[in-house]
Amino acid sequence: MSFRTTPSVDYVEDVSPGSGALPPRAWYASSDARSLSLNGSWRFRLSATAGAEDDSFAEEGYDAGNWAEVTVPGHWVLQGDGAFGSPIYTNHLYPFPVDPPYVPTENPTGDHLRVFDLPSDWPSDGGAVLRFDGVESCARVWLNGTELGEFKGSRLAHEFAVGELLKPGGNVLAVRVHQWSAGSYLEDQDQWWLPGIFRDVTLLHRPSGGTGDFFVHASYDHTTGEGTLRVDSDVDGRVTVPALDIDVATGEPVTVAVQPWTAETPKLYDGVLVTDGERVPLRIGFRTVVLEDGLIKVNGKAVLFKGVNRHEWHPEHGRALDLETMREDVLLMKRHNLNAVRTSHYPPHPAFLDLCDEYGLWVIDECDLETHGFTEQDWRDNPVDDDRWTPALLDRAARMVERDKNHPSIVLWSLGNEAGTGRGLTAMAEWIHGRDPERLVHYEGDWNCRDTDVYSRMYAFHDEVEKIGQQLDGGTLRRRELPFIQCEYAHAMGNGPGGLADYQELFEKYERLQGAFVWEWIDHGVRHAELGYAYGGDFGEELHDGNFVCDGLVFPDRTPSPGLIEYKKVIEPVRIEGDGANGIVHVTNKQDFADLSALAFEWSCQVDGETVESGSLAMPALAPGESAEVKLPEPPVDGRGGERQWTVRALLADDTTWAAKGHVVAWGQFAAGARPLPSIPATDRPVRDGGRITLGPAGFDARTGALLTIGGVEVGATPRLDVWRAPTDNDDGAEWQTDTRYGTLWRTLGLHRMRHRLVSVEAGDDALTVRTRVAPAAREVGLDTVYRWTSDGERLRLTVSVTPQGDWTVPLPRLGVRFGLTEADRVEWFGGGPGEAYPDTGKASMVGRWQSTVDGLQTPYVRPQENGARADVRWVELGGLRIEGDPEFWFTARRWTTEQLDAARHRTDLTAGDTVWVNLDHGQHGIGSQSCGPGPLPQYFLKAEPAEFSFVFSTTR
C-alpha cells in the first residue's frame, strides 16, 4: 500500500509576514554594481490548490518542457486566453469566506520556473541578492534546489541573499505563488484580484564594501535659503554633490545655499554615495515638511493639494506597468495641472516615485493595507486590532518607508486605507513617527486623529467641508487643531464628476482646507475582444461590483475623459477673470511657490466664435498669491455686429520637461457684449392641402402636426418633448444612498417610458399649434406641452411651452425636444466645446466655433450612459439644417436612441441605425458625484416648473 503526502502549506495561512527575506532597505534605480534582470518568459504550471504538487519542480534537472509559458512581470489570469483562470473584481467584499487567517482549499497556485546563466563577466567576489518587487499574494522561493523562504505583502519588495548558491550556468529559480493567503485579508483594496509575479525580478551583485541601507536627509530652511544634507549609511562612505561643492563623509551634516524642491519647482541635485565597493547615484531634493499653525507646510508655506488617487493599471497587463506607461501617467497629470498623488492603496512601483521627484508631484505614499471586507461583520476579528497580526502590519510599514524614504516628493506616509481602527495601526504610526519624524502620517479612518497628523475624510459633502473649514465641525480637540484634506472626493465614475468647482471654491476660501484627491486616475477596464473593455461580472465572478472599477479621470487607454479636462480647468494655477465691456483682465497667481515668469499670456478677440484678432499680453511675474489688472487692447473694428468675446490664455513660455512651449496652462473667457437673439416675424400662414400642412419651408402631417420636412431635409421623427436621459453612474448612485438615487427615482416615476397624448392640432392665421400632454403610465403627474410653429417664409421657429401638472417631487433628467434626421454626419456649432458639459461640469467648456462628426460627439464611457452634450450652444448645423436657440441650449446627436443607450452595458452593444437622433435641451439636471459621493448641489437641479424656449430652423443646402 502506498500513499502520497500532501506538502505542507501552513505558511500560506500564517499571519506572519514570512521568513528568509532580508531586512528592507532603500531602493535605488542603478549603481555601478552589476545586475541581471530575470524578467521575460518563465515556465508555468497552474494547480487548483496550494498543496496539489510537491516541491520537486524546484530541484535542478526537473523537466518542465511540457509546461506553459507566461511573461514576468505579469498576472497569469491575464495570459493564456483564459486557460489560467480569470480576474475577479470586488470593491470591498472578500471573494472567499471571512474566516481569518484561513483561505479556501480551492486556491489557484502558479509554479514559475526560470533557468538562467550568469553573464560571463559577472564578478566572482562579493555576494548577490535576489529581489522581487511585487508578487500577489504569497510566494515561496527556491534557488538551485535550496529554499530561500516565503513572503507576503504583494506590493512590497523582498530580497534574499543568494551569493553562495549561484553558479555560472543553469541556475534554477523556482517560485510558487498562491492567489489566496492570510495576506489577502490585508489586501482588500478596491481593485481586481490578480495573482502573479507582476513586478520586476532582479539579481543584484553585492560587492564587498558595497552599500547597504542609507537615508538621505535633505532639509531646507526657508528663512536663510540654505539646505542641510546628511546621508546616514549602514556602510561608511562619502557623499559628493558637485553642483554644491559638497564632499562629506556619511553621517556628517553639511549646510549650503540651495534651490529648494517643490512640486512646482522640482529642483534635484545629482550626487553620488561612494563606499569602498560601490557608487550609487543620488537625486537630492531639499525640502522641509512640518505641521505648523495647524497646517501642512513645506519650506515654510502651506500647500494646497490638487490631487488624484492612482491605482496602477494597464488594460492588458493589469498592475504590471512599464516605465513609459508610468511616465505617461505623470506627464498627463502635470499637463492637466495636478500637483499631488495618493498612491492608493499601496506603494507603487518605485520608478513611479522617481518620476514624481523628477517632474514634480506631492506624494502621499500609502501602505499595502486594507481590510475593508470586515465592515460586513462590523469589524469583528479585524486584523488591525488583533495583536497576532501586528508583526505583519509593522513589516508592511517598514517595507514601504525603508524602500521609499529617499524621495523628496513624498510628504506624507499613509498607514493604509479602510482598515478600521486598532492597536496595529497605532503601532505602525508610532514606528513611522520614530523612524522618519521629517514627514507627517496620514490615515483616513482615524477620525479622532489619535495616530495621525492630518484630519482626513472621504466624500464629505460640500456643506460639511465648509463647516470643517470654519472649524465648526466639532470632534476632539486634537482633530480641530489639524489641517483637513479629502483623501478621496469627486468620484470620477462615468459621466462626471460634478461639483468640482464648488469644492475648489471652498478649498481656496478656508486655510484649514488643504485640498483633495479625486477618486481616481484610470478606469480599470480589461481589454476584451468582444466587449471592448470588461469590468466586474464579465468573467463570471460569483461576487463582483460591476463597473465600479471604472471610475477614473482617464479611460483604460489613457485618453483623458471630460472629467480630467474639467479638473484641469478647475484647478488652474492661474485665475484669469475679466470685464469684457471695459477691456480689463484680472490675473491671480494661485501657485504656492512659483511666480509667473514661466508663462506667456496671449489675448484673442472672437466675433461669433471666430477669432478676428490676437496678440501677446504683457503680464508682471506675479509672486504666489499676487494679483494684477491689465488693460486689453482696444477691440478691433471689422464692421460685424455679432457676439463678441475676449479669450486670454496663459501658456508655457518655453519647453519644460513635461510639456512643450505653447502648452495652455490656464485660460479665461468673457463677453464683450450681449448676444443678439434670433428674431423672425411670423409672416407666413399654414396652408392645408389634403393630409399635409405647409408652413414656410416646412411640411407637416395635418392629422398629427408632426414635422415631416424642412426644405429638402427629411425629418425622420418629429421634434417632441423629451425628459429622459440614459442614467449616468452618478444618477444611479451608490447602493448605500437609497434616499436620493435619482436614476432610481426617475425610473420609479416612469420618466423612461413617457407617453404622448395629442390634444389638438390648430392651424391659425400665423401659426401651427400642436397641444399635447406628456406623462408616465400609472401616474397622475404630467407635462402639458404646446408646440407653436411660425415662419417668415424661409425660416421656421418652434416655441415650446411646458406646464407641469400634478405633484412633481423629483427633478427632471432633462427638458427639451428630440427629433430624428435620416442623414447627418458632419456637425458644426457655435457654443461650448470642444467636449461635453453639463450644469455642474461646464467650467472647461469654451465658447467658440467647433466641428465634429456625429460619432466624434460621443464620449466612450466604458459603461454606456448619457454623454456628449455640448453646452451654451447658439446654433448648430448638421444634416442640412441650421438650428438657432433662444436662449442658448444643450445639443446632443447620436446614431442610437436614448433607450438603446440606456439598455447597453458595453459600447459594443451599441449599433448605429439609419436615424441620427438629435436632442435640443433647454435644461439638464446636474451630474454630481453620487456613484460614491454627493449628488448635484441644489442649484444644479432641473426642477419641474413652467418653461418656454424656442428654436429657429433653416436649411444650409
Side-chain angles (χ1 to χ4, degrees):
M1 180 177 179
S2 64
F3 60 92
R4 180 173 177 272
T5 302
T6 301
S8 173
V9 292
D10 291 346
Y11 64 90
V12 173
E13 296 175 331
D14 191 330
V15 299
S16 74
S19 63
L22 296 169
R25 63 184 179 121
W27 186 89
Y28 48 91
S30 64
S31 78
D32 63 350
R34 289 296 305 275
S35 65
L36 176 65
S37 172
L38 298 178
N39 297 344
S41 180
W42 289 50
R43 290 290 183 176
F44 177 75
R45 176 181 65 187
L46 182 64
S47 303
T49 65
E53 301 287 348
D54 60 26
D55 305 339
S56 61
F57 81 103
E59 299 294 333
E60 297 179 81
Y62 183 87
D63 183 7
N66 63 342
W67 286 22
E69 293 187 17
V70 295
T71 297
V72 171
H75 306 277
W76 70 67
V77 293
L78 296 181
Q79 304 183 56
D81 294 325
F84 306 141
S86 301
I88 300 170
Y89 168 61
T90 60
N91 168 28
H92 75 277
L93 297 174
Y94 289 107
F96 48 79
V98 182
D99 184 23
Y102 305 110
V103 295
T105 300
E106 298 83 10
N107 187 355
T109 296
D111 290 334
H112 298 68
L113 272 178
R114 175 80 152 84
V115 178
F116 65 94
D117 300 330
L118 295 178
S120 59
D121 58 348
W122 187 266
S124 58
D125 64 326
V129 165
L130 179 65
R131 182 182 183 92
F132 295 89
D133 280 308
V135 183
E136 183 176 331
S137 72
C138 174
R140 188 179 179 190
V141 187
W142 297 262
L143 180 63
N144 292 331
T146 298
E147 183 173 353
L148 304 179
E150 78 283 339
F151 62 89
K152 308 177 189 76
S154 298
R155 270 66 72 175
L156 301 163
H158 295 81
E159 293 182 331
F160 298 90
V162 297
E164 296 180 355
L165 300 175
L166 290 172
K167 55 186 183 180
N171 293 282
V172 178
L173 175 58
V175 185
R176 174 164 285 169
V177 181
H178 308 282
Q179 176 158 20
W180 310 123
S181 69
S184 301
Y185 284 99
L186 304 180
E187 297 173 2
D188 189 26
Q189 294 101 339
D190 176 9
Q191 61 180 345
W192 294 95
W193 298 88
L194 298 172
I197 305 172
F198 67 94
R199 286 187 185 159
D200 305 291
V201 181
T202 312
L203 183 67
L204 302 167
H205 176 239
R206 303 310 305 136
S208 177
T211 58
D213 188 28
F214 60 93
F215 197 159
V216 177
H217 302 271
S219 62
Y220 177 72
D221 186 337
H222 66 279
T223 63
T224 65
E226 293 178 322
T228 299
L229 175 67
R230 187 186 82 246
V231 178
D232 296 333
S233 175
D234 288 352
V235 177
D236 291 341
R238 297 194 70 79
V239 176
T240 60
V241 185
L244 298 175
D245 291 328
I246 290 176
D247 184 347
V248 65
T250 55
E252 294 185 7
V254 58
T255 299
V256 295
V258 298
Q259 297 177 43
W261 189 99
T262 75
E264 297 166 6
T265 57
K267 175 63 178 179
L268 293 173
Y269 290 92
D270 290 326
V272 183
L273 169 60
V274 181
T275 63
D276 287 344
E278 190 173 10
R279 295 173 58 88
V280 178
L282 304 176
R283 304 207 76 189
I284 302 166
F286 291 87
R287 57 104 187 94
T288 296
V289 184
V290 298
L291 178 63
E292 184 178 83
D293 302 323
L295 299 171
I296 303 167
K297 292 186 178 181
V298 180
N299 302 338
K301 292 187 176 182
V303 296
L304 183 62
F305 296 117
K306 304 169 184 179
V308 68
N309 287 273
R310 175 187 176 268
H311 268 301
E312 295 182 306
W313 186 252
H314 187 282
E316 296 173 357
H317 309 304
R319 286 187 286 279
L321 268 61
D322 58 47
L323 178 61
E324 288 312 306
T325 299
M326 291 184 260
R327 189 185 307 276
E328 184 179 356
D329 279 345
V330 171
L331 292 177
L332 278 171
M333 291 175 188
K334 292 291 291 186
R335 291 168 185 166
H336 290 86
N337 294 331
L338 278 76
N339 71 359
V341 178
R342 175 178 175 229
T343 69
S344 54
H345 295 297
Y346 42 82
H349 190 292
F352 178 78
L353 298 173
D354 283 343
L355 295 169
C356 294
D357 295 341
E358 177 183 352
Y359 292 102
L361 289 169
W362 306 116
V363 175
I364 299 179
D365 197 4
E366 192 148 272
C367 192
D368 191 7
L369 172 62
E370 180 167 336
T371 64
H372 199 174
F374 284 90
T375 58
E376 295 298 306
Q377 53 198 63
D378 297 323
W379 297 105
R380 188 175 63 257
D381 297 328
N382 185 10
V384 304
D385 200 29
D386 184 334
D387 291 339
R388 295 174 300 169
W389 293 82
T390 299
L393 304 184
L394 290 172
D395 180 76
R396 288 172 183 249
R399 291 189 180 279
M400 171 183 68
V401 171
E402 301 294 9
R403 190 197 75 168
D404 297 343
K405 58 183 176 283
N406 295 326
H407 291 281
S409 57
I410 298 173
V411 290
L412 287 91
W413 300 112
S414 179
L415 302 179
N417 183 69
E418 294 178 319
T421 56
R423 292 163 285 175
L425 288 171
T426 299
M428 293 169 68
E430 290 175 348
W431 184 89
I432 292 174
H433 276 122
R435 177 58 173 146
D436 184 18
E438 297 169 356
R439 291 182 176 93
L440 306 181
V441 171
H442 165 274
Y443 176 66
E444 183 273 338
D446 183 14
W447 285 17
N448 290 327
C449 302
R450 180 184 65 181
D451 301 320
T452 56
D453 301 309
V454 253
Y455 177 29
S456 177
R457 291 282 301 281
M458 294 180 183
Y459 308 107
F461 288 15
H462 296 77
D463 56 351
E464 183 183 5
V465 170
E466 180 154 33
K467 289 180 180 178
I468 293 171
Q470 296 169 331
Q471 295 186 312
L472 300 176
D473 55 306
T476 63
L477 175 62
R478 172 169 170 76
R479 188 178 90 180
R480 296 198 305 273
E481 293 175 340
L482 293 179
F484 176 80
I485 63 172
Q486 288 236 68
C487 67
E488 293 180 23
Y489 88 125
H491 199 246
M493 186 176 177
N495 188 334
L500 284 169
D502 307 275
Y503 270 122
Q504 195 64 26
E505 183 179 342
L506 295 173
F507 300 153
E508 295 178 8
K509 182 177 182 180
Y510 298 104
E511 187 179 46
R512 185 190 184 193
L513 308 180
Q514 292 200 249
F517 296 75
V518 168
W519 185 267
E520 63 160 310
W521 175 241
I522 188 169
D523 286 342
H524 299 199
V526 177
R527 200 180 302 278
H528 192 283
E530 298 176 0
L531 302 176
Y533 291 109
Y535 50 76
D538 288 333
F539 297 100
E541 306 101 299
E542 62 180 8
L543 287 176
H544 66 86
D545 286 288
N547 68 311
F548 202 69
V549 76
C550 295
D551 46 14
L553 290 172
V554 298
F555 297 124
D557 64 358
R558 285 179 162 74
T559 299
S561 76
L564 181 58
I565 305 301
E566 176 79 354
Y567 196 32
K568 175 186 178 181
K569 175 62 180 168
V570 166
I571 60 174
E572 286 175 337
V574 183
R575 179 186 290 121
I576 302 173
E577 300 170 316
D579 182 344
N582 294 321
I584 297 292
V585 60
H586 185 87
V587 175
T588 303
N589 181 0
K590 298 195 295 180
Q591 298 178 106
D592 295 322
F593 297 93
D595 63 22
L596 298 188
S597 59
L599 301 178
F601 288 78
E602 294 181 353
W603 65 268
S604 60
C605 182
Q606 292 81 37
V607 176
D608 288 341
E610 292 187 321
T611 297
V612 295
E613 195 168 338
S614 62
S616 60
L617 187 67
M619 189 68 60
L622 301 172
E626 287 187 344
S627 299
E629 285 189 348
V630 177
K631 187 77 170 71
L632 291 166
E634 289 298 319
V637 178
D638 66 349
R640 287 190 277 183
E643 181 179 358
R644 291 174 175 267
Q645 290 171 316
W646 292 100
T647 303
V648 175
R649 294 176 173 87
L651 319 170
L652 287 180
D654 296 292
D655 291 346
T656 68
T657 59
W658 50 269
K661 176 182 178 180
H663 169 79
V664 178
V665 174
W667 59 271
Q669 192 174 59
F670 24 93
R675 173 201 170 202
L677 295 174
S679 176
I680 65 170
T683 57
D684 229 33
R685 62 177 298 171
V687 177
R688 179 164 183 166
D689 183 6
R692 187 180 181 92
I693 293 176
T694 301
L695 176 61
F700 297 83
D701 184 300
R703 182 178 59 85
T704 64
L707 177 66
L708 303 175
T709 60
I710 301 177
V713 177
E714 182 180 348
V715 178
T718 189
R720 66 176 187 171
L721 192 74
D722 189 17
V723 299
W724 180 243
R725 73 184 187 196
T728 68
D729 291 313
N730 288 306
D731 289 338
D732 283 337
E735 291 182 2
W736 53 87
Q737 295 168 325
T738 56
D739 294 335
T740 54
R741 297 171 67 187
Y742 295 103
T744 299
L745 294 174
W746 294 336
R747 289 187 196 278
T748 300
L749 185 58
L751 300 188
H752 60 307
R753 48 178 174 77
M754 300 290 275
R755 298 291 181 260
H756 298 251
R757 176 169 62 86
L758 179 63
V759 176
S760 66
V761 178
E762 304 165 8
D765 289 339
D766 62 352
L768 174 65
T769 303
V770 181
R771 302 182 186 276
T772 67
R773 178 176 171 82
V774 183
R779 304 289 176 179
E780 61 180 358
V781 297
L783 301 168
D784 288 349
T785 307
V786 179
Y787 309 91
R788 188 172 188 271
W789 298 93
T790 59
S791 177
D792 64 356
E794 294 183 355
R795 295 173 294 171
L796 185 71
R797 175 187 285 272
L798 167 63
T799 300
V800 182
S801 301
V802 180
T803 305
Q805 300 295 334
D807 185 15
W808 286 86
T809 59
V810 299
L812 297 172
R814 72 177 345 132
L815 181 68
V817 297
R818 177 171 67 166
F819 67 100
L821 292 175
T822 56
E823 182 181 346
D825 184 27
R826 298 296 304 177
V827 184
E828 183 174 358
W829 72 98
F830 173 29
E836 72 182 25
Y838 292 82
D840 55 350
T841 68
K843 294 298 182 182
S845 182
M846 178 183 287
V847 173
R849 290 275 290 270
W850 308 103
Q851 292 184 349
S852 177
T853 62
V854 169
D855 293 340
L857 293 173
Q858 315 310 307
T859 304
Y861 295 115
V862 174
R863 186 191 74 81
Q865 56 198 273
E866 165 63 33
N867 74 90
R870 269 56 180 183
D872 302 314
V873 176
R874 280 75 163 154
W875 56 257
V876 61
E877 293 181 355
L878 80 165
L881 289 181
R882 178 184 176 96
I883 307 164
E884 299 175 75
D886 180 9
E888 294 86 0
F889 59 97
W890 277 273
F891 159 73
T892 309
R894 53 178 67 103
R895 299 187 187 278
W896 35 79
T897 65
T898 300
E899 291 73 22
Q900 291 168 328
L901 184 65
D902 188 13
R905 291 296 169 262
H906 296 85
R907 296 191 68 242
T908 51
D909 296 333
L910 294 169
T911 303
D914 297 330
T915 300
V916 171
W917 294 95
V918 180
N919 276 89
L920 310 174
D921 290 317
H922 176 63
Q924 282 267 359
H925 188 61
I927 295 296
S929 185
Q930 203 169 7
S931 52
C932 196
L937 290 170
Q939 60 263 38
Y940 304 118
F941 281 24
L942 179 57
K943 297 178 180 178
E945 56 191 12
E948 183 173 282
F949 47 94
S950 297
F951 303 102
V952 175
F953 298 83
S954 57
T955 60
T956 60
R957 295 173 178 171

